[in-house]
């Protein structure tokens, strides 16, 4: 079977919206409820965060959601249980995003096998070194047809971008600015000034821009220079406020996708 | 600063299977720059002249190697105290801070960030920033800000901005997270001055090299005193492990020198309130390094506990994880009460009030069997001024217990 991420990008090259949320937040059993709501919404891709006690690359909003999820009792075993039957209904590509330590303790090979078993299409581990991917992960993930997505920034050197693009599957994650998640910048001037050069080194993968994409304005800015964008912290904030996930998620994704009328 | 080989770091940053650089991509350029330049810069003549000059006339090195006669009689052996407590700012931390600030200057960085637990590394960093006229931001857990108030005041007087960290468990682990997050947000102009042999490669090796002045001096001093460079034992406390790494460094290849690292057992290694990482931890990733750390089966990093804020860390430097694995060094642990008693004992016997961290190393003397003719080096990593309140409270408790 073709990987669902590849299938998506084969059909769709612009305005791709990826939504990130933390597993087990706001309540333990919300994971699948939110997943179903996203499946019905205008989101194209779904990223589920594996909560970790020490999320180095995350700003306050995702940190807090992680802590709450852990207090709720979320862990990887439970997450895979929750995801066990999703593929009966869910058609959209699903990715897991987390930190390498969680995967190490679960067992690297076991982790990817579970991903494949429940129908997870890709994995993002921001602290996984490229060399370690090549040495231990690549053989396993390629055999299971699971994509491992790498991150680059506007400051990543061309040679390094080429390496990461080659290793990355599904898409390449382009950081909107030098910041932790939920940064205030949206698409930074730094990225705007360098994006053309960045793209020259990307041969293989579509580009999605993430970190600091809050809503419609940042999303359409990102879509002008990349294939789409990822919204995380702003979506988590929505979940915190929401009393009706289905309705609010449909509304949120629909507004984000509405093209801004140039003023 | 000669490189060690067998127990030194490999070219790609590992000690056996421990070490490496597990960092978000944004920090890749910074780490690469450090990796490619730290040896060249720190081995240049210009750097070494400045480093030696500052260690001598600013820090007050070499620190004495003091024969502790009364302690030696007590333990029926020959105990020498390496007096790191006599350094400017009161601990070994300043050796590393001087080294790294000179490196930061060479790299053209203007803004310095650091994490601190007890505040000793924060004070050392604030001190060298004042000296060099650099901006200094120190991250400190809210809990530690409260329990180490005098060091917070010192940092502020030295011109540092102290950021109280409210995330996670609000101690050293979280201060380190927050410092790394700051670095991610400011990779261009900022230098992260790490306080121990922890973090992504090349920090563990770099910090060990800057602290290796300790064992280098011990060798020379022993040669003068005894006519031979090597002792039978070197004992040091281990939080992240920088004073131990420095005290062990030049003895690593002399396999007949027994190296003892002392971790904080807190209320006991089975009590659930401990910081004895090697006793209760397992392999994982913390602050960009693969090492032994305290964690749940699910891989969540757990909160350590020790009466000593400087040892209150859920990880350990990768070099120690490795030295433990290959049994080149032995690691034991000491409880809060044993450390307090050892601090009182040293104070009474030798007139030296040690830091609570160093008191853990002192308490280890009672756990080991020495021969009469053996030479034991104890690295007295810091002085006890910052711990006076803890000592006073303990003395009051003892007095109260006696009366009842
Ligand atoms: C006096 C003293 N000794 C030891 C330590 C522990 O650090 P390390 O294990 O890096 O030497 C500290 C840390 O704050 C300290 O202040």
């Amino acid at each position: 079977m073709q990987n669902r991420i590849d299938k998506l990008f084969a059909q769709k090259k612009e305005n791709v919206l990826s939504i990130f949320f933390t597993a087990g937040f706001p309540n333990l059993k919300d994971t699948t409820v939110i997943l179903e709501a996203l499946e019905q919404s205008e989101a194209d891709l779904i990223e589920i965060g594996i909560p970790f006690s020490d999320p180095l690359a995350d700003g306050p909003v995702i940190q807090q959601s992680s802590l709450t999820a852990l207090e709720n009792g979320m862990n990887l075993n439970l997450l895979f249980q929750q995801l066990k039957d999703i593929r009966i209904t869910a058609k959209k590509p699903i990715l897991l995003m987390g930190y390498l330590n969680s995967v190490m303790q679960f067992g690297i090979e076991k982790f990817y096998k579970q991903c494949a078993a429940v129908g997870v299409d890709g994995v993002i581990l921001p602290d996984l070194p490229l060399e370690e991917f090549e040495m231990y992960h690549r053989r396993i993930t390629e055999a299971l047809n699971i994509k491992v997505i790498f991150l680059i920034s506007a400051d990543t050197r061309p040679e390094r971008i080429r390496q990461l693009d080659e290793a990355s599957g599904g898409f390449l994650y382009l950081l909107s600015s030098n910041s932790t998640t939920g940064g205030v910048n949206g698409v930074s001037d730094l990225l705007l000034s360098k994006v053309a050069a960045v793209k020259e080194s990307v041969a293989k993968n579509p580009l999605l821009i993430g970190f600091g994409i809050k809503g419609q304005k940042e999303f359409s800015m990102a879509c002008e220079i990349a294939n789409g964008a990822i919204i995380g912290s702003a979506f988590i904030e929505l979940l915190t406020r929401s009393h009706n996930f289905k309705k609010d998620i449909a509304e949120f994704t629909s507004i984000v996708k509405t093209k801004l009328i140039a003023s | 600063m000669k490189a060690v080989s067998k127990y030194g770091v490999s070219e790609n940053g590992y000690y056996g299977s421990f070490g490496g650089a597990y960092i978000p991509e944004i920090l890749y350029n910074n780490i690469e720059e450090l990796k490619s330049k730290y040896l060249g810069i720190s081995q240049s003549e210009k750097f070494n002249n400045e480093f030696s000059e500052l260690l001598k006339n600013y820090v007050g090195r070499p620190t004495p190697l003091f024969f502790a006669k009364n302690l030696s009689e007590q333990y029926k052996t020959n105990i020498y105290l390496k007096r790191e407590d006599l350094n400017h700012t009161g601990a070994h931390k300043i050796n590393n801070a001087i080294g790294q600030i000179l490196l930061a200057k060479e790299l053209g960085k203007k803004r310095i960030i650091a994490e601190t637990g007890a505040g000793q590394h924060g004070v050392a960093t604030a001190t060298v920033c004042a000296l060099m006229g650099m901006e200094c931001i120190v991250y400190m857990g809210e809990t530690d800000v409260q329990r180490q108030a005098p060091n917070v005041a010192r940092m502020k007087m030295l011109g540092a901005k102290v950021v109280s960290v409210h995330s996670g468990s609000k101690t050293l682990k979280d201060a380190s997270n927050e410092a790394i997050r700051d670095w991610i947000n400011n990779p261009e102009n900022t230098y992260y001055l790490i306080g121990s042999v922890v973090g992504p490669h090349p920090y563990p090796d770099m910090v060990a090299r800057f602290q290796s002045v300790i064992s280098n001096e011990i060798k020379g001093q022993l040669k003068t005193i005894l006519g031979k460079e090597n002792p039978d034992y070197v004992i040091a406390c281990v939080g992240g492990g920088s004073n131990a790494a420095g005290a062990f460094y030049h003895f690593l290849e002399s396999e007949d020198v027994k190296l003892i690292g002392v971790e904080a057992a807190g209320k006991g290694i089975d009590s659930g309130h401990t910081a004895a990482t090697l006793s209760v931890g397992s392999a994982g990733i913390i602050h960009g390094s693969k090492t032994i750390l305290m964690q749940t089966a699910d891989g969540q990093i757990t909160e350590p506990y020790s009466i000593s804020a400087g040892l209150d860390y859920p990880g350990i430097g990768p070099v120690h994880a490795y030295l433990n694995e290959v049994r080149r060094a032995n690691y034991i642990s000491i409880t809060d009460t044993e450390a307090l008693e050892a601090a009182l004992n040293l104070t009474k016997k030798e007139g030296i009030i040690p830091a609570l961290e160093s008191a853990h190393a002192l308490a280890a003397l009672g756990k080991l069997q020495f021969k009469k003719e053996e030479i034991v080096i104890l690295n007295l990593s810091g002085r006890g001024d910052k711990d006076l309140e803890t000592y006073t409270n303990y003395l009051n408790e003892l007095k109260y217990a006696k009366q009842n």
Side-chain angles (χ1 to χ4, degrees):
Chain A
M1 195 183 90
Q2 192 184 18
N3 182 286
R4 291 179 197 85
I5 307 171
D6 285 346
K7 202 166 140 194
L8 169 72
F9 284 106
Q11 293 161 359
K12 192 164 182 203
K13 299 216 160 39
E14 14 181 71
N15 297 323
V16 171
L17 173 62
S18 182
I19 295 282
F20 170 94
F21 69 99
T22 304
F25 175 85
N27 293 298
L28 188 60
K29 292 189 172 157
D30 288 337
T31 315
T32 47
V33 181
I34 294 164
L35 244 171
E36 277 159 31
L38 282 168
E39 182 72 23
Q40 311 288 316
S41 78
E42 293 193 36
D44 298 297
L45 237 128
I46 301 164
E47 291 176 32
I48 307 175
I50 306 163
F52 180 52
S53 56
D54 295 74
L56 283 183
D58 287 304
V61 172
I62 295 179
Q63 279 176 49
Q64 191 52 50
S65 71
S66 266
L67 273 186
T68 306
L70 291 175
E71 281 163 13
N72 290 343
M74 183 42 74
N75 60 48
L76 256 181
N77 264 316
L78 193 57
L79 177 58
F80 282 124
Q81 261 177 46
Q82 290 185 342
L83 298 182
K84 190 164 56 75
D85 298 323
I86 43 161
R87 284 303 173 198
I88 296 173
T89 49
K91 302 277 180 290
K92 291 179 178 170
I94 297 175
L95 293 93
L96 294 189
M97 182 163 184
Y99 290 82
L100 186 55
N101 195 49
S102 307
V103 175
M104 254 180 91
Q105 304 314 318
F106 190 81
I108 293 172
E109 187 149 6
K110 185 176 147 203
F111 170 77
Y112 289 121
K113 282 186 171 157
Q114 287 278 335
C115 285
V118 301
V120 164
D121 306 287
V123 167
I124 309 174
L125 301 168
D127 60 347
L128 169 64
L130 182 57
E131 307 76 52
E132 189 140 329
F133 168 73
E134 298 287 2
M135 245 188 309
Y136 303 115
H137 296 238
R138 188 161 193 162
R139 185 181 48 79
I140 306 170
T141 54
E142 288 188 348
L144 295 166
N145 197 18
I146 288 175
K147 307 293 173 186
V148 176
I149 286 94
F150 283 89
L151 292 83
I152 60 170
S153 79
D155 286 329
T156 307
R157 307 249 153 79
E159 179 52 33
R160 175 91 178 155
I161 295 180
R162 279 191 284 274
Q163 288 174 356
L164 291 166
D165 180 41
E166 192 282 319
S168 202
F171 64 93
L172 204 52
Y173 197 133
L174 175 59
L175 298 164
S176 61
S177 62
N178 291 328
S179 83
T180 41
T181 53
V184 288
N185 290 334
V187 179
S188 66
D189 292 343
L190 178 75
L191 179 57
L192 288 174
S193 70
K194 291 193 177 179
V195 71
V198 167
K199 280 172 159 172
E200 265 175 41
S201 306
V202 180
K204 186 175 119 190
N205 284 297
L207 278 174
L208 294 187
I209 297 180
F211 286 30
I213 307 298
K214 293 194 165 18
Q216 181 192 44
K217 178 163 151 270
E218 295 84 2
F219 181 74
S220 31
M221 260 178 94
C223 287
E224 273 170 39
I225 55 171
N227 303 87
I230 302 154
I231 300 185
S233 297
F235 184 76
I236 304 257
E237 279 172 340
L238 172 82
L239 296 178
T240 312
R241 291 191 304 268
S242 174
H243 298 292
N244 184 343
F245 289 154
K246 199 164 179 255
K247 175 172 157 283
D248 292 343
I249 289 171
E251 210 170 275
F252 180 84
T253 52
S254 156
I255 292 174
V256 167
K257 282 245 179 143
T258 318
K259 273 245 185 301
L260 267 188
I261 306 198
S263 50
Chain B
M1 278 201 283
K2 197 178 63 186
V4 287
S5 54
K6 188 169 167 194
Y7 300 105
V9 78
S10 73
E11 208 178 312
N12 50 359
Y14 284 85
Y15 302 87
S17 63
F18 301 112
Y22 296 81
I23 44 152
E25 189 61 30
I26 294 182
L27 295 178
Y28 183 83
N29 290 343
N30 294 57
I31 291 293
E32 278 301 302
E33 181 183 35
L34 268 184
K35 241 162 77 177
S36 65
K37 293 187 180 163
Y38 82 108
L39 287 177
I41 292 175
S42 66
Q43 287 169 352
S44 72
E45 194 182 327
K46 176 179 172 234
F47 181 98
N48 271 305
N49 288 343
E50 262 188 286
F51 188 47
S52 308
E53 162 67 19
L54 284 170
L55 287 185
K56 179 162 181 260
N57 292 317
Y58 187 67
V59 176
R61 303 200 72 95
T63 57
L65 189 67
F66 173 67
F67 178 64
K69 186 164 163 289
N70 301 323
L71 212 57
S72 297
E73 276 171 16
Q74 181 184 354
Y75 293 107
K76 303 195 170 45
T77 189
N78 305 285
I79 298 169
Y80 290 83
L81 302 177
K82 181 58 175 165
R83 298 291 307 276
E84 292 301 298
D85 61 315
L86 294 177
N87 282 326
H88 178 41
T89 70
H92 66 292
K93 297 281 180 189
I94 190 85
N95 304 329
N96 166 51
I98 298 260
Q100 286 197 54
I101 202 78
L102 291 175
L103 182 70
K105 210 173 71 174
E106 275 311 299
L107 296 175
K109 304 283 182 176
K110 297 273 172 343
R111 180 174 177 273
I112 305 296
I113 57 172
E115 83 296 338
T116 198
Q120 287 303 111
H121 175 58
V123 167
T125 305
T127 298
V128 296
C129 285
L131 180 68
M132 298 292 170
M134 296 216 219
E135 184 186 357
C136 180
I137 296 119
V138 179
Y139 289 90
M140 191 169 186
E142 191 185 7
T143 308
D144 293 333
V145 168
Q146 281 161 12
R147 65 178 171 177
Q148 304 286 335
N151 273 344
V152 176
R154 291 165 81 192
M155 286 184 265
K156 286 186 175 159
M157 183 165 172
L158 287 159
K161 180 177 162 204
V162 180
V163 181
S164 177
V165 174
H166 306 284
S167 62
S169 49
K170 305 176 176 66
T171 58
L172 177 58
K173 160 176 94 73
D174 310 285
S176 307
N177 289 343
E178 218 48 56
I180 294 172
R181 290 186 186 117
D182 178 316
W183 207 23
I184 288 173
N185 281 281
N186 303 282
E188 272 293 307
N189 64 347
T190 297
Y191 182 88
Y192 180 19
L193 207 157
I194 295 187
S196 192
V197 286
V198 301
H201 175 67
Y203 281 101
D205 182 53
M206 177 164 69
V207 176
R209 282 168 189 265
F210 291 143
Q211 291 293 0
S212 72
V213 63
I214 299 172
S215 49
N216 198 32
E217 284 177 8
I218 294 171
K219 269 183 175 282
Q221 288 165 324
L222 277 183
K223 180 101 184 159
T224 309
I225 302 167
L226 302 169
K228 61 167 194 170
E229 288 187 333
N230 288 352
D232 297 287
Y233 285 87
V234 179
I235 305 174
C237 67
V238 178
S242 67
N243 88 86
F248 294 173
Y249 198 88
H250 291 284
F251 299 114
L252 283 170
E253 307 249 313
S254 309
E255 308 262 352
D256 50 338
V257 179
K258 298 180 201 65
L259 307 174
I260 312 287
V262 186
E263 293 194 287
K267 295 180 180 166
I269 54 173
D270 299 321
S271 67
H273 302 278
T274 184
T277 306
L278 290 176
S279 298
V280 301
S282 56
I285 293 161
I286 181 169
H287 299 136
S289 176
K290 189 182 279 180
T291 184
I292 303 293
L293 61 122
M294 293 166 53
Q295 57 185 330
T296 64
D298 186 38
Q300 311 303 339
I301 301 174
T302 51
E303 212 22 57
Y305 164 81
S306 164
I307 191 168
S308 136
L311 304 183
D312 204 352
Y313 184 68
I316 187 168
V319 63
H320 294 291
Y322 179 64
L323 294 176
N324 179 57
E325 185 181 80
V326 299
R327 295 280 170 246
R328 174 62 192 97
N330 283 313
Y331 296 83
I332 60 175
S333 63
I334 288 297
T335 65
D336 288 356
T337 311
E338 289 168 333
L340 286 164
E341 286 297 326
L344 300 187
N345 184 59
L346 184 75
T347 306
K348 202 160 60 189
K349 288 240 158 67
E350 303 287 356
I352 299 171
I353 303 176
L356 254 172
E357 292 78 14
S358 323
H360 286 71
L362 288 161
L365 291 170
K367 304 268 174 176
L368 299 163
Q369 299 293 330
F370 305 111
K371 299 201 184 90
K372 220 176 85 200
E373 68 282 4
E374 282 181 324
I375 306 296
V376 177
I377 304 289
L378 190 136
N379 197 40
L380 200 69
S381 59
R383 57 178 176 246
D385 309 28
K386 70 186 176 57
D387 300 311
L388 269 191
E389 197 181 319
T390 310
Y391 291 147
T392 311
N393 290 345
Y394 182 65
L395 285 168
N396 288 339
E397 264 175 48
L398 290 180
K399 215 155 76 189
Y400 182 80
K402 228 184 212 163
Q403 285 165 355
N404 288 276

